[in-house]
Amino acid sequence: MHPFCALPFTLFDAISSTTAIQRIIGETMRLYSSLFATTSLVLATPALAGEEVLYQGTPDWVSVSEIDPAKIKDGPPEIVSDYQHRIQDGVVYSYTDSAVRIDNPQELMSRGTLQLEWLPDKGDLTIHKLHIIRGDETIDLVADGHEFEVIRRERGLERRLLDGVLTATMAVPGLQVGDILRVSHSVGVDDQALGDEVQVTQFIPSEPWQVAQGKTIVSWPKDEPMLWEAGPEIELAAPEERDGYKYLAIEFPVEKAEDMPRDAPSRFRRTRLLRVGSFETWQDLSRVMAPHFEGAAQIESGSALAMEAAKIKAATSDPFAQMVAATRLVQDDVSYLLNGLDGGNYLPQNAEETWEKRYGDCKAKSVLLLALLRELGIESETVLVASRGGDAVAEMIPLPASFDHMIVRAELDGKTYWIDGTTTGTRATNIADVPPFFYALPLRDAGADLMPMTQRDKQHPNVTFDINGDFSAGADLPGLITYKTTVFGSGAARIRSTIDEQNERRTKSMGQRMSGPFGRLQVVSVELDYDEDASSGTVVVTGVADTPFRYNEGRLETDMRLGAIGGSFGPVRAKPEWRDIPARTNGPSRMAIDYSVKLPDGGEGFELEGKPDLESNFANTTVARKMSFANGQYTGRVDMVQRLGEIAAADINKEKRASLKHSTEKLK
């Protein structure tokens, strides 16, 4: 079960060592940032979490796949791939069964070590079968006394993730080429944060992957209301009812999904999933999660955290400045660390604990920021967001698994601020920026619906360029060049880390990667600087570049390439099935370029050809330039704003024409 604010650990990964498709599934689920391909065991009594591997027979509710002997030799090497989930009394029990034929030494090496993972605070890992099938013989490894070894290995520590996952591992004894390795196991998940509510998310493999027998089944008591969906592009039959339970079933692989253009919005390129949950509305989900975060945001009078809020109040009476200061405190003085232990995937540390420990994940940092803002009298609340693929959330049934991140929503003077405590470099100039998450779910005791995160233009550039060239020595001689690049906000972190490393080689390499309108640069010097208060990093590169002037039909000219920056919108919708698919636009971003070039001969005989002043609007992009020529040099400024969003299919050609027109507005 993945936490908010981390690349997810999926309990589907617990089975990823047994078949190739399971490895594919694990990677796909990580990219999707969604988790609930859980595995579990149903017992007659409630699930008891534990750190020891259990060994028991197959649960009665499981429909066991019988191997068809005809498919063992002639079919694909993946013989059985079976995932079944039972929802019962607020617990999700999931069962996995796989059988794979070992066809060659490479497969023997890759399949010969099993690694099964689970979260011990939520359920037990139980082994049901561990068989080697060799011809007519079945070798029961568990009956022969072989057991898994349990280890704890925090693979995410380099990303500041402490997920609490245990790994059961075994080098399969006696496995040979030609054998069939069959493993079935399960895990029960009783999530501390969800109470009686449940959710299941199951990856659905598609062609051209092949399996002889593949299916997934989700079942629950017929009287318990559930929502379900499968997709995209998967038709799901209505649940069957038998023995007091409803059963949803899908055989796979399903047909290959239609290819989508790479520039389609992410909701058109979603991973194919079966999703089942007990939340009837987004309001229900909001209500269930809210108490955990409201309770954690309380500040005790006179505590160390209360004193920090008092310091901010004493420093300024301006609520906006107070909000910026509180955000900076959370971002800069509390390091990031995900603690997924003991329900930490969804349950936050309380604000006082986070301030004392000086570390926390997105939940902890959001709760800390919420506590500070409320102590300062600023209206605020925690909200769930999807850091990737967020434009699809509104189309999904309400599940916590739809989200992988948490931020804070604040209201001040009638303006909404979306503040991320886990990023860096938030200052007064960029705190009003809207992150590219599309939708947010506020967590409120009374419940809340999804809220669109309406974009607005950035008030300040992400990056500025100050480019100066001196070609006054002559049109056929090299010129002296200075490139000054300033990055603001979180993007300045790399420059800051390079400064802190004091690595001359890396500094020079950073400068050599800088390029501009004069082409290849022979670097003379590289200077780095970081401004803590402005959260800006600056790289100043000086060097020598070849002359940009060329003779053309008796005239000496240079193309001022910056004049048509940004004109590259060109989605292709040639396939008939693509004609109704919109095109996404990148953003939000803003860039400014200042440009100055000293000309040969004091500029005598030179003139500007083209439109020195221009404003173009196309595909959620605005480019404005102002150029002038006087006193032996030309100077100018280019501003480009790109907005997150999409272009309707009917408008793509119009926006392409506008982009093309902009790109032809050359200036010489």
Side-chain angles (χ1 to χ4, degrees):
M1 185 170 306
H2 84 82
F4 297 138
C5 198
L7 289 177
F9 160 72
T10 79
L11 286 178
F12 210 111
D13 296 338
I15 57 171
S16 62
S17 62
T18 54
T19 67
I21 184 59
Q22 291 165 336
R23 290 197 298 271
I24 295 171
I25 288 169
E27 291 304 314
T28 304
M29 294 296 283
R30 286 188 179 92
L31 290 172
Y32 182 72
S33 270
S34 196
L35 71 341
F36 280 84
T38 54
T39 57
S40 63
L41 166 69
V42 162
L43 302 175
T45 56
L48 299 175
E51 298 192 355
E52 299 295 328
V53 178
L54 304 180
Y55 299 86
Q56 296 180 5
T58 303
D60 293 339
W61 57 270
V62 169
S63 175
V64 178
S65 296
E66 299 296 333
I67 295 179
D68 183 351
K71 297 179 179 179
I72 291 180
K73 291 185 177 180
D74 300 330
E78 312 292 340
I79 298 171
V80 174
S81 187
D82 189 352
Y83 310 100
Q84 300 182 42
H85 310 266
R86 168 61 62 89
I87 298 170
Q88 188 82 49
D89 299 328
V91 184
V92 176
Y93 305 97
S94 299
Y95 165 88
T96 300
D97 183 17
S98 70
V100 59
R101 188 177 64 244
I102 309 300
D103 284 344
N104 52 60
Q106 290 74 24
E107 285 296 293
L108 179 63
M109 181 177 296
S110 65
R111 314 289 186 142
T113 300
L114 298 175
Q115 295 179 0
L116 312 178
E117 298 176 344
W118 82 104
L119 291 169
D121 65 313
K122 291 179 171 55
D124 293 312
L125 169 65
T126 302
I127 306 300
H128 307 301
K129 286 182 183 177
L130 183 54
H131 293 174
I132 294 175
I133 302 173
R134 184 175 297 152
D136 295 331
E137 180 186 8
T138 297
I139 303 170
D140 188 334
L141 296 178
V142 173
D144 289 347
H146 299 285
E147 294 188 353
F148 283 83
E149 179 183 358
V150 178
I151 61 175
R152 183 186 297 276
R153 52 175 187 169
E154 295 294 348
R155 295 177 299 178
L157 286 179
E158 72 282 359
R159 292 177 291 151
R160 303 286 289 171
L161 305 179
L162 182 66
D163 55 25
V165 173
L166 293 183
T167 301
T169 183
M170 175 190 288
V172 182
L175 189 64
Q176 302 176 13
V177 172
D179 288 346
I180 295 173
L181 176 62
R182 186 167 191 179
V183 182
S184 65
H185 66 284
S186 56
V187 173
V189 174
D190 186 359
D191 193 278
Q192 300 95 322
L194 302 187
D196 293 334
E197 305 294 341
V198 294
Q199 60 177 350
V200 173
T201 300
Q202 172 68 58
F203 177 76
I204 305 300
S206 304
E207 295 174 340
W209 176 75
Q210 293 182 327
V211 64
Q213 300 166 237
K215 70 176 184 292
T216 185
I217 299 173
V218 181
S219 60
W220 63 91
K222 66 177 183 179
D223 295 330
E224 291 189 15
M226 292 287 164
L227 294 180
W228 60 87
E229 64 184 5
E233 299 179 19
I234 295 178
E235 292 187 9
L236 189 60
E240 293 183 5
E241 187 175 316
R242 61 180 184 270
D243 301 326
Y245 288 85
K246 289 184 177 181
Y247 292 81
L248 273 176
I250 298 178
E251 293 187 358
F252 53 74
V254 296
E255 290 185 1
K256 181 179 181 295
E258 292 288 343
D259 291 334
M260 288 289 163
R262 295 180 63 182
D263 52 24
S266 59
R267 66 183 180 277
F268 289 89
R269 298 175 289 111
R270 286 191 288 142
T271 300
R272 304 176 99 179
L273 298 171
L274 171 63
R275 298 160 56 88
V276 182
S278 60
F279 296 95
E280 294 186 20
T281 66
W282 292 111
Q283 289 193 0
D284 293 335
L285 175 54
S286 173
R287 276 191 292 267
V288 167
M289 301 300 294
H292 306 307
F293 296 88
E294 290 293 326
Q298 304 304 311
I299 296 180
E300 293 184 12
S301 177
S303 68
L305 188 55
M307 293 175 61
E308 290 298 324
K311 289 179 185 178
I312 294 174
K313 284 183 179 180
T316 176
S317 61
D318 179 11
F320 178 80
Q322 291 176 352
M323 180 173 64
V324 174
T327 301
R328 183 171 176 178
L329 185 72
V330 172
Q331 291 182 351
D332 294 356
D333 288 15
V334 178
S335 65
Y336 180 87
L337 175 67
L338 166 70
N339 185 353
L341 302 175
D342 194 21
N345 59 320
Y346 285 160
L347 298 179
Q349 290 178 168
N350 65 61
E352 300 276 10
E353 182 183 359
T354 300
W355 182 246
E356 179 184 357
K357 292 181 175 179
R358 299 299 176 95
Y359 65 72
D361 60 7
C362 71
K363 303 183 300 298
K365 280 180 164 253
S366 294
V367 165
L368 176 60
L369 180 57
L370 176 68
L372 286 168
L373 293 179
R374 288 183 174 175
E375 189 77 3
L376 296 168
I378 298 172
E379 181 182 348
S380 51
E381 60 188 354
T382 51
V383 300
L384 300 179
V385 296
S387 65
R388 291 171 288 185
D391 64 323
V393 170
E395 299 180 354
M396 300 177 180
I397 63 172
L399 295 181
S402 300
F403 307 101
D404 66 351
H405 192 37
M406 170 171 277
I407 61 175
V408 171
R409 174 181 174 271
E411 287 282 341
L412 187 61
D413 296 330
K415 190 172 186 178
T416 299
Y417 296 86
W418 306 94
I419 310 175
D420 189 341
T422 64
T423 189
T424 59
T426 298
R427 302 291 187 266
T429 55
N430 60 5
I431 196 170
D433 293 351
V434 181
F437 301 150
F438 294 95
Y439 292 95
L441 181 66
L443 301 187
R444 301 173 185 168
D445 289 334
D449 285 319
L450 284 178
M451 180 179 293
M453 297 177 64
T454 304
Q455 288 290 319
R456 51 181 171 245
D457 288 353
K458 284 180 172 288
Q459 297 177 343
H460 192 274
N462 303 76
V463 59
T464 63
F465 300 92
D466 192 351
I467 303 173
N468 291 277
D470 184 351
F471 294 93
S472 58
D476 56 351
L477 295 175
L480 300 175
I481 309 298
T482 301
Y483 294 144
K484 180 181 178 181
T485 303
T486 304
V487 182
F488 297 88
S490 60
R494 181 173 297 180
I495 296 174
R496 183 180 189 178
S497 65
T498 303
I499 294 173
D500 292 340
E501 286 182 11
Q502 298 183 345
N503 187 320
E504 184 176 346
R505 181 176 179 180
R506 185 177 176 187
T507 299
K508 186 174 181 179
S509 175
M510 178 177 285
Q512 289 175 333
R513 290 196 299 270
M514 307 293 291
S515 63
F518 305 111
R520 184 176 178 180
L521 185 70
Q522 296 182 23
V523 176
V524 175
S525 67
V526 181
E527 297 179 4
L528 306 181
D529 185 49
Y530 182 79
D531 186 326
E532 182 73 37
D533 290 332
S535 184
S536 63
T538 301
V539 182
V540 180
V541 181
T542 59
V544 178
D546 293 338
T547 176
F549 297 100
R550 298 292 182 268
Y551 278 99
N552 182 22
E553 297 181 351
R555 298 197 308 173
L556 190 68
E557 64 181 32
T558 183
D559 184 356
M560 298 168 63
R561 307 175 195 178
L562 296 177
I565 191 171
S568 59
F569 181 72
V572 176
R573 295 294 184 269
K575 293 184 178 182
E577 58 269 27
W578 290 1
R579 290 176 184 170
D580 295 327
I581 298 175
R584 74 173 187 277
T585 57
N586 296 322
S589 66
R590 182 175 175 182
M591 177 175 65
I593 305 172
D594 287 298
Y595 198 74
S596 176
V597 175
K598 290 184 179 181
L599 298 169
D601 302 324
E604 184 176 350
F606 284 87
E607 63 181 1
L608 284 177
E609 183 179 286
K611 296 180 181 178
D613 296 343
L614 176 70
E615 181 171 318
S616 298
N617 292 279
F618 55 90
N620 292 335
T621 299
T622 297
V623 182
R625 79 178 180 210
K626 284 185 174 294
M627 295 285 182
S628 63
F629 170 49
N631 301 321
Q633 66 180 8
Y634 62 82
T635 60
R637 182 179 177 89
V638 177
D639 286 284
M640 183 175 72
V641 176
Q642 290 183 304
R643 303 170 186 89
L644 178 73
E646 59 187 58
I647 303 301
D651 296 328
I652 287 177
N653 287 336
K654 179 184 69 174
E655 299 299 330
K656 287 172 67 173
R657 289 192 295 269
S659 172
L660 179 61
K661 182 178 184 298
H662 169 76
S663 66
T664 60
E665 296 285 1
K666 303 292 186 181
L667 187 63
K668 298 183 180 182

